[in-house]
Amino acid sequence: MKHQFYKSTGISLITGSILIIITMVLHPSGGSIEKIISISNSITITHSLAILSLPVILFGFYGLTHKLLNPWRTSILAFIIMVFGLIAAMFAALVNGLTLPYFLGQYADKISQNSSVLKPIMAYSFAINKPLDYIFIVGCCLAIMLYSWIIIRSHKFPKWIGYFGVLLIFLSIIGAITGFVFTSLIGFRVFVFSLAGWILSSGLSLTLSKEH
């Protein structure tokens, strides 16, 4: 039974990582009010796909947490932190990917008359989105650090996955120190692609893991 559980949650991690990769590949760049309105369908679809991927990934991390349980129950802490990060990602996608395009679309024929109101609202939306992105990034980094530490110290997964996670965290810290902008589209893509690589590796190992 446990093997089937690990297999299903591993497949969820693989599926979720593929979904977020597709999301970032299709993710359009923002811009002016007019541009956001013109690509609102694309924005809505990509962010809806992102939101869809979150519970799939979360179920996968539930299985990973169970697999990596140790006497200290550190993996549960990692799971709780990851939940906070994914909730932040959901709100970020909801605000800028669904709410903002819908709101601006109602003024598609009267942008110039309402620009003095729409521009501050759009700026406020981006201001909300940025800290949510950072909560997601920091939450994922902390959770992966804990998961990777457990993987390195145990024999449940190949140790290279743990070292991969450590490398990801190290590069993220270097990026933060050197002023790399993780919340820009390029910066966010770099982080998400790296995160997806670690999730995909963990999902494959979880799917192939044996019952202990």
Side-chain angles (χ1 to χ4, degrees):
M1 293 295 291
K2 281 187 178 180
H3 176 67
Q4 293 175 335
F5 169 62
Y6 294 145
K7 188 172 182 179
S8 64
T9 51
I11 291 173
S12 289
L13 284 178
I14 295 170
T15 304
S17 64
I18 293 173
L19 287 175
I20 59 176
I21 289 172
I22 294 173
T23 298
M24 294 313 300
V25 169
L26 299 177
H27 194 295
S29 58
S32 64
I33 295 174
E34 292 83 359
K35 183 178 179 182
I36 290 176
I37 292 174
S38 67
I39 60 173
S40 61
N41 288 338
S42 178
I43 294 175
T44 301
I45 290 171
T46 54
H47 285 84
S48 296
L49 184 62
I51 293 173
L52 172 65
S53 70
L54 297 180
V56 177
I57 292 173
L58 192 59
F59 177 62
F61 273 110
Y62 175 68
L64 181 65
T65 301
H66 191 277
K67 179 68 176 180
L68 296 178
L69 274 178
N70 58 14
W72 293 89
R73 297 298 190 263
T74 314
S75 63
I76 296 178
L77 175 60
F79 180 74
I80 293 172
I81 295 172
M82 182 60 73
V83 169
F84 271 85
L86 295 183
I87 289 174
M90 179 189 69
F91 279 114
L94 179 64
V95 171
N96 264 12
L98 300 182
T99 304
L100 184 61
Y102 172 75
F103 176 78
L104 295 178
Q106 297 181 3
Y107 296 88
D109 299 325
K110 40 189 174 179
I111 295 175
S112 57
Q113 302 95 306
N114 297 278
S115 61
S116 61
V117 176
L118 295 178
K119 287 181 179 179
I121 290 176
M122 189 168 72
Y124 181 67
S125 174
F126 290 143
I128 293 175
N129 191 78
K130 182 165 286 191
L132 288 172
D133 283 345
Y134 276 120
I135 292 173
F136 167 67
I137 291 170
V138 173
C140 288
C141 286
L142 290 175
I144 289 176
M145 181 178 67
L146 291 173
Y147 282 126
S148 297
W149 176 76
I150 299 170
I151 291 171
I152 292 171
R153 290 180 59 88
S154 68
H155 301 282
K156 296 180 179 180
F157 277 7
K159 291 187 181 297
W160 68 264
I161 297 177
Y163 290 119
F164 179 20
V166 171
L167 177 63
L168 173 59
I169 304 307
F170 176 75
L171 292 177
S172 298
I173 293 173
I174 295 298
I177 293 174
T178 57
F180 184 75
V181 183
F182 286 101
T183 54
S184 67
L185 181 58
I186 294 176
F188 199 65
R189 276 178 175 165
V190 170
F191 177 79
V192 170
F193 285 147
S194 302
L195 174 66
W198 189 88
I199 294 175
L200 181 61
S201 302
S202 300
L204 288 170
S205 294
L206 187 59
T207 301
L208 300 173
S209 64
K210 302 297 182 182
E211 182 176 345
H212 291 286

